Amino acid sequence: MLMVVQTRWSEEMVTQSSTKTLLDWMYSTSFEDIPPQVRKLAVLAVHDGIGGNLACSLLPMAHRLVDFVKIVGGAPDCSVIGFPDRTSVVNAALVNGTLGHADEVDAIEGDGLGAHILAANLAAALTAAQFAGASGQEALRALVLGYEVTKRTHKVAARVAESGTRNGGPSPTLIDAANTMGATAAAGAALGLTPDKMDVAFSLAATMTCGITPFARETEHMVKSLVRGGLGARNGVTAALLAQTGYDAPRDIFDGPQGFFHSRLGVEDSGAEFISGLGGEYAISSVVFKRNCGGGPNQAPRQGLLEIVEENGLTSDDIDSIQVEVEPAGFNTITHVHHPSIEGKDVIALAAVYGGNGFRETHNEKYYRSPAVLALRDRVSIVPREDWRGEGRFHAIVTINTKDGRELKRDSTYHLMDEDDVDAKFRALVGMRAGETKAQELAQTLKKLGLATNVSEVMARLQLPAARIDDF
């Protein structure tokens, strides 16, 4: 899309592409230009995201990824979060990004535009910053910029879906491709690319996106975490490094024929959604942190269930049946993706039997396959509310029928987390992984990320002795 704009670099009114307008904004936005509340939220996002990464380093897929990077080798430039190992910047981005969504404890989007944006962007920003010896402020700026690019690609996809302007093909989704493009912005910013090299990096990254998402056909969350987190981070760092070396590609990839949106959505014009309001309401402001291990549509039901249980002093032995009512899109997710962190019946049964945040129980077979969980699971029903279609993403009605004949109902709207809530979640997840003292130490390190002169020092502290979930 060609736009008439007035840049901060020139008083002249010039006509330029959407890609160049985006680059102008990115390179005229310093860390100090980002509003204080957005900077604070970015630090909180790092705090929440790293807590999830460290917990997920316990999982079998994490150990398989580390086995992989040992096989392929590489210079020990960057940290693998939750492990004593160091590896190449590209390998580290792959592992750290996958860990960012290795479980359903990572953040989601309040506006529904995009999914697991933080996983890929955080890994790209921190890993590239470590490689470049960048400061904490530079890493936080990179995260904010990457989030912005990711979200804006989703805005274009939403407009195309609503208008029906796509030229054939399935309904547009850019979740994984958008995470790659955002991660490219994050990595490029952390590496200090020039505007022209960032332009090239975007073009190279666009060629790396795939979009095959067979999540309903797996039971171990491995493809989902790799595609939503690891590949985006790896692609973004790779594209940025290629551009840094001088590798070339066509510019203005967000515009025109054979560009990103034309190839992915069938439209040559990115539309006003892609660049309007840059520097206004920052995209990262839509992030929603999860209290518990569970897909987004499970958050309100799980919360409502635990509130009923606590208020009435129930145990799982007291429960005859549970019914959960959710909006149709959420119903489709939690009844068709078969992993204990997403499958609604599993999430609810685990919460009723064990309580807590659910991370350990979701990933240890002695808990999620226990007789008590399996028996209660068969008495959980999930019901779609067609009258909530398009609304109620964080809303549910939970009804518990007890064995003594009571019907206990809760209309539940998810309670958004504040800084204290994120801190408590971090202590619970990381305390399980490394002990309470280490959890408190790492929490303070992450909260002070903006003061770090070199991200390498922070990343080194996130390396821990290897451990496995079955040990807990």
Side-chain angles (χ1 to χ4, degrees):
M1 181 179 185
L2 294 180
M3 297 289 292
V4 177
V5 297
Q6 184 172 8
T7 71
R8 286 174 57 175
W9 294 351
S10 172
E11 294 301 318
E12 290 185 36
M13 302 298 287
V14 297
T15 300
Q16 63 181 11
S17 66
S18 295
T19 306
K20 291 299 191 295
T21 301
L22 175 68
L23 289 167
D24 279 354
W25 173 75
M26 289 175 61
Y27 282 86
S28 63
T29 301
S30 67
F31 179 76
E32 290 74 19
D33 290 327
I34 299 171
Q37 69 273 19
V38 177
R39 285 183 256 157
K40 183 177 181 180
L41 182 59
V43 172
L44 196 61
V46 173
H47 189 185
D48 184 79
I50 294 299
N53 278 51
L54 288 169
C56 287
S57 69
L58 296 169
L59 303 182
M61 76 171 74
H63 289 266
R64 292 171 189 173
L65 284 165
V66 170
D67 289 343
F68 165 77
V69 300
K70 288 178 179 177
I71 290 171
V72 298
D77 293 321
C78 293
S79 302
V80 177
I81 295 173
F83 286 86
D85 305 83
R86 292 171 68 94
T87 186
S88 71
V89 58
V90 172
N91 288 342
L94 174 68
V95 178
N96 295 338
T98 304
L99 292 182
H101 182 48
D103 171 78
E104 290 289 334
V105 77
D106 60 313
I108 52 176
E109 298 307 301
D111 58 9
L113 294 176
H116 309 289
I117 294 175
L118 183 61
N121 280 278
L122 179 58
L126 290 181
T127 305
Q130 181 177 19
F131 182 75
S135 69
Q137 290 188 3
E138 289 169 321
L140 290 167
R141 173 180 173 270
L143 174 61
V144 171
L145 296 182
Y147 221 103
E148 198 71 32
V149 172
T150 306
K151 180 70 70 174
R152 286 175 176 275
T153 61
H154 285 295
K155 289 184 176 181
V156 178
R159 186 256 301 169
V160 172
E162 291 170 3
S163 65
T165 54
R166 178 176 172 83
N167 183 21
S171 298
T173 177
L174 286 181
I175 291 175
D176 310 311
N179 287 355
T180 283
M181 302 309 285
T184 303
L191 291 171
L193 296 189
T194 65
D196 185 63
K197 289 190 181 298
M198 182 73 86
D199 200 347
V200 171
F202 281 140
S203 187
L204 292 168
T207 69
M208 301 180 191
T209 60
C210 177
I212 296 176
T213 54
F215 305 148
R217 295 168 56 182
E218 70 166 344
T219 59
E220 295 192 52
H221 207 274
M222 289 193 181
V223 172
K224 192 170 187 290
S225 59
L226 181 70
V227 174
R228 292 276 154 91
L231 295 184
R234 181 204 66 180
N235 293 346
V237 169
T238 300
L241 288 170
L242 279 169
Q244 188 178 59
T245 68
Y247 207 93
D248 204 15
R251 274 67 170 174
D252 296 321
I253 200 63
F254 291 115
D255 303 272
Q258 300 182 6
F260 178 77
F261 293 118
H262 186 220
S263 300
R264 300 309 303 257
L265 301 177
V267 295
E268 295 184 20
D269 188 344
S270 61
E273 297 86 356
F274 188 58
I275 55 175
S276 64
L278 284 166
E281 183 177 356
Y282 279 75
I284 199 171
S285 300
S286 69
V287 69
V288 170
F289 304 115
K290 295 179 184 174
R291 292 178 179 275
N292 304 298
C293 172
N298 288 304
Q299 294 299 306
R302 197 180 191 282
Q303 171 187 287
L305 171 80
L306 292 178
E307 288 173 349
I308 295 174
V309 167
E310 182 178 355
E311 290 173 8
N312 293 275
L314 301 179
T315 69
S316 59
D317 291 335
D318 299 318
I319 298 173
D320 181 59
S321 65
I322 303 171
Q323 177 179 282
V324 173
E325 300 170 60
V326 294
E327 52 88 25
F331 170 82
N332 183 65
T333 298
I334 65 177
T335 58
H336 289 85
V337 181
H338 307 298
H339 185 268
S341 67
I342 305 176
E343 182 85 45
K345 290 186 175 186
D346 290 324
V347 171
I348 292 299
L350 281 164
V353 174
Y354 297 111
N357 63 37
F359 182 89
R360 179 189 62 177
E361 294 77 17
T362 295
H363 296 284
N364 193 319
E365 189 171 352
K366 72 180 180 182
Y367 297 107
Y368 71 77
R369 297 288 296 175
S370 70
V373 168
L374 294 177
L376 184 55
R377 185 188 188 283
D378 290 337
R379 305 196 301 275
V380 176
S381 60
I382 314 291
V383 179
R385 286 290 299 264
E386 292 296 333
D387 55 324
W388 293 357
R389 186 173 292 279
E391 301 178 357
R393 295 185 62 248
F394 297 99
H395 180 224
I397 296 177
V398 181
T399 304
I400 296 179
N401 291 294
T402 65
K403 292 178 179 178
D404 61 9
R406 289 175 289 165
E407 181 182 274
L408 306 172
K409 181 175 288 191
R410 174 60 57 92
D411 193 319
S412 176
T413 299
Y414 179 64
H415 305 316
L416 297 178
M417 297 176 70
D418 60 19
E419 188 173 354
D420 289 339
D421 293 327
V422 170
D423 198 42
K425 174 185 169 184
F426 184 93
R427 291 199 310 272
L429 290 173
V430 181
M432 174 191 67
R433 171 69 175 84
E436 181 65 23
T437 300
K438 188 66 173 179
Q440 292 179 351
E441 172 194 320
L442 292 178
Q444 291 305 311
T445 297
L446 295 171
K447 290 176 184 179
K448 297 177 181 177
L449 179 61
L451 301 177
T453 57
N454 192 326
V455 168
S456 293
E457 299 170 1
V458 175
M459 295 297 287
R461 295 179 186 178
L462 301 179
Q463 294 182 236
L464 300 174
R468 297 177 183 273
I469 190 67
D470 291 343
D471 298 332
F472 295 87

